[in-house]
Amino acid sequence: GQQVMQIPQYQHVQEGEDFTTYCNSSTTLSNIQWYKQRPGGHPVFLIQLVKSGEVKKQKRLTFQFGEAKKNSSLHITATQTTDVGTYFCAGEFYGQNFVFGPGTRLSVLP
Amino acid sequence: GAVVSQHPSWVICKSGTSVKIECRSLDFQATTMFWYRQFPKQSLMLMATSNEGSKATYEQGVEKDKFLINHASLTLSTLTVTSAHPEDSSFYICSAQNGRGYNEQFFGPGTRLTVL
């Protein structure tokens, strides 16, 4: 079946440092979504990217969709302790359901 | 808006018994509902997709007779774990789509199942 990979699996950063997680698919995606799951919580939708090369920003978060629509990234500038959690990408393959990546667990040390 | 509830939030049962988990969209009609299983510190494993009034579509490797899904209405889907065994212990989480906007998935809070 279709697979979506994510790296790194874990990331520990000092508060104030930047953080990036990468999402990759071997097959072209129709679109990609990003979710955040806080410890002990459930995934919450952050954003969807549809267009090739698309870049969207939400305050300190920057989301990018690759030109070939096979990869995406989430970059957090100047992390804060409230950014702690697991970030999942979910790729939609044409005509199919979304496939979630394994997630990147972010720890922010104060 | 777009709130999804799950009941119960946690359940402990004996091996061999069946457990029913409810997933409700509280303020919208869900065109599609999904059931996931999540192991500690791991990703979401899609078990099945259900649409109201039709049979659920199960992912490869998921036993249909063990994990019974009923999508009775546009706001309610149930997952029944039949003859539960300790290896079925996990975090079960549902999500729902309302077919609008980004068509994102709104997740329920999850149900922690422990089978003794």
Side-chain angles (χ1 to χ4, degrees):
Chain A
Q2 307 287 13
Q3 282 191 322
V4 173
M5 306 306 294
Q6 247 183 291
I7 56 169
Q9 189 176 4
Y10 304 95
Q11 184 78 59
H12 305 279
V13 300
Q14 203 72 39
E15 189 172 20
E17 292 182 339
D18 293 355
F19 159 76
T20 305
T21 173
Y22 300 90
C23 183
N24 294 285
S25 166
S26 58
T27 310
T28 302
L29 300 166
S30 61
N31 63 75
I32 194 160
Q33 296 180 346
W34 285 91
Y35 292 79
K36 176 183 178 182
Q37 184 175 22
R38 293 180 184 272
H42 57 275
V44 174
F45 174 79
L46 293 177
I47 208 157
Q48 176 171 285
L49 304 170
V50 179
K51 299 177 184 176
S52 169
E54 188 171 13
V55 177
K56 287 188 178 180
K57 291 190 176 184
Q58 288 179 351
K59 297 183 179 177
R60 294 179 294 103
L61 278 61
T62 302
F63 303 85
Q64 290 189 324
F65 202 8
E67 294 290 340
K69 299 182 70 172
K70 290 183 178 181
N71 56 73
S72 180
S73 66
L74 158 58
H75 178 83
I76 301 178
T77 304
T79 55
Q80 299 175 359
T81 54
T82 53
D83 296 324
V84 166
T86 302
Y87 293 85
F88 293 100
C89 63
E92 183 177 28
F93 298 89
Y94 289 95
Q96 302 180 38
N97 285 325
F98 281 92
V99 175
F100 277 80
T104 296
R105 188 170 309 114
L106 172 64
S107 298
V108 179
L109 304 174
Chain B
V3 177
V4 175
S5 71
Q6 262 183 263
H7 179 80
S9 56
W10 59 270
V11 57
I12 301 173
C13 69
K14 291 183 179 180
S15 186
T17 61
S18 295
V19 174
K20 181 185 282 189
I21 302 169
E22 290 187 352
C23 177
R24 293 181 185 271
S25 56
L26 297 184
D27 50 2
F28 67 98
Q29 292 186 327
T31 54
T32 305
M33 285 184 166
F34 303 88
W35 286 96
Y36 294 87
R37 189 170 175 177
Q38 188 174 35
F39 292 99
K41 299 182 179 180
Q42 292 191 28
S43 188
L44 300 156
M45 185 191 82
L46 179 64
M47 300 174 66
T49 303
S50 75
N51 294 286
E52 184 262 341
S54 61
K55 289 185 179 180
T57 302
Y58 289 81
E59 294 298 301
Q60 194 172 11
V62 178
E63 298 176 59
K64 300 178 183 181
D65 295 331
K66 180 162 190 64
F67 299 100
L68 300 178
I69 292 173
N70 185 299
H71 198 148
S73 72
L74 283 171
T75 59
L76 173 64
S77 177
T78 60
L79 167 68
T80 301
V81 183
T82 62
S83 187
H85 288 93
E87 56 266 29
D88 299 324
S89 298
S90 190
F91 190 62
Y92 292 88
I93 190 165
C94 71
S95 71
Q97 288 177 318
N98 62 6
R100 289 186 253 166
Y102 290 120
N103 203 28
E104 68 266 39
Q105 295 181 43
F106 299 97
F107 284 85
T111 297
R112 173 76 57 195
L113 170 64
T114 302
V115 184
L116 302 177

